[in-house]
Amino acid sequence: GAGVSQSPSNKVTEKGKDVELRCDPISGHTALYWYRQRLGQGLEFLIYFQGNSAPDKSGLPSDRFSAERTGESVSTLTIQRTQQEDSAVYLCASSLLASGDTQYFGPGTRLTVL
Amino acid sequence: DAKTTQPPSMDCAEGRAANLPCNHSTISGNEYVYWYRQIHSQGPQYIIHGLKNNETNEMASLIITEDRKSSTLILPHATLRDTAVYYCIVKAYSGAGSYQLTFGKGTKLSVIP
């Protein structure tokens, strides 16, 4: 596609529920990143996928957070038993490592946990 | 990754050039300078990046000093749509094991009519 897409754009959920956030990277991009941005704050790195290599999960804040990626395409970020502090914009980015390593971001998913 | 220092805010008159400075005095030889911006409620947008040579694209120019300890992003003819927070980021290639972009506080650029 033309750019990174994410869905849903907005998600409101109740505390304790599970949520799944989806990211469609730019076609052909081998690397995919998830970040979180709380209101008025900078971006926090969550997880990085590169091809078929084991993902770098070092940024995941707790074991309630997990992510998967199918090959070099779609990724889903799952948050189990959501808490109010999980409220944030979740941003996905992709890059083609062989071409400048520039990360291109999607519009984000705004998650609100009531 | 090296830290960067940017002024917290700047104003620029519409139609004039906006020059946004960034200091990165501890930059390593394998680290690139990237510029992104974030318009309110949107995802970060890539602008430009460079290693040691000056770069220009359809959005902006990037001037890197010879010692690489500072750089300037130039928007040649600022418009109201350029109002955003601009982030200067220094990062090595992901192939060197450096994956994440570390966003500081950036410079809030306000373009004034």
Side-chain angles (χ1 to χ4, degrees):
Chain A
V4 178
S5 61
Q6 293 185 245
S7 60
S9 55
N10 281 284
K11 175 73 177 178
V12 180
T13 190
E14 294 179 346
K15 177 181 173 181
K17 300 279 189 180
D18 297 352
V19 295
E20 270 193 7
L21 312 179
R22 176 186 170 109
C23 172
D24 284 87
I26 293 172
S27 178
H29 278 195
T30 55
L32 186 146
Y33 315 75
W34 283 97
Y35 294 83
R36 175 171 73 176
Q37 187 172 32
R38 291 194 168 114
L39 187 64
Q41 304 295 313
L43 272 70
E44 299 172 65
F45 167 76
L46 298 177
I47 190 168
Y48 161 73
F49 294 91
Q50 167 52 26
N52 294 319
S53 303
D56 176 359
K57 304 179 181 180
S58 60
L60 294 178
S62 78
D63 58 9
R64 296 187 295 104
F65 288 72
S66 62
E68 292 184 353
R69 187 181 187 194
T70 306
E72 294 185 351
S73 60
V74 172
S75 175
T76 55
L77 177 70
T78 301
I79 308 173
Q80 296 178 310
R81 306 180 302 282
T82 53
Q83 304 294 314
Q84 288 183 331
E85 61 263 27
D86 299 334
S87 295
V89 176
Y90 289 81
L91 291 157
C92 175
S94 70
S95 72
L96 180 58
L97 292 189
S99 179
D101 204 26
T102 299
Q103 295 181 29
Y104 295 91
F105 285 81
T109 293
R110 182 175 299 279
L111 175 66
T112 303
V113 182
L114 302 176
Chain B
D1 295 331
K3 290 186 177 179
T4 61
T5 304
Q6 299 177 252
S9 64
M10 290 182 64
D11 291 342
C12 178
E14 188 178 17
R16 304 297 294 268
N19 297 280
L20 293 97
C22 179
N23 286 323
H24 31 80
S25 58
T26 59
I27 192 171
S28 300
N30 67 342
E31 289 181 317
Y32 290 71
V33 180
Y34 290 84
W35 282 84
Y36 282 78
R37 71 181 182 185
Q38 191 168 26
I39 297 169
H40 183 61
S41 298
Q42 297 183 22
Q45 179 187 21
Y46 166 77
I47 301 173
I48 199 167
H49 77 285
L51 184 62
K52 51 185 176 182
N53 296 323
N54 297 339
E55 302 287 344
T56 296
N57 63 20
E58 65 278 3
M59 287 184 69
S61 295
L62 174 60
I63 308 298
I64 302 174
T65 58
E66 193 168 339
D67 63 7
R68 302 186 71 236
K69 293 186 177 182
S70 66
S71 61
T72 301
L73 177 75
I74 301 172
L75 307 179
H77 305 288
T79 71
L80 298 179
R81 287 181 300 225
D82 293 322
T83 292
V85 179
Y86 287 76
Y87 297 96
C88 168
I89 299 161
V90 173
K91 191 183 85 67
Y93 241 45
S94 291
S98 174
Y99 313 135
Q100 57 179 294
L101 291 169
T102 301
F103 286 71
K105 295 188 183 299
T107 296
K108 180 172 173 52
L109 175 68
S110 299
V111 180
I112 312 299

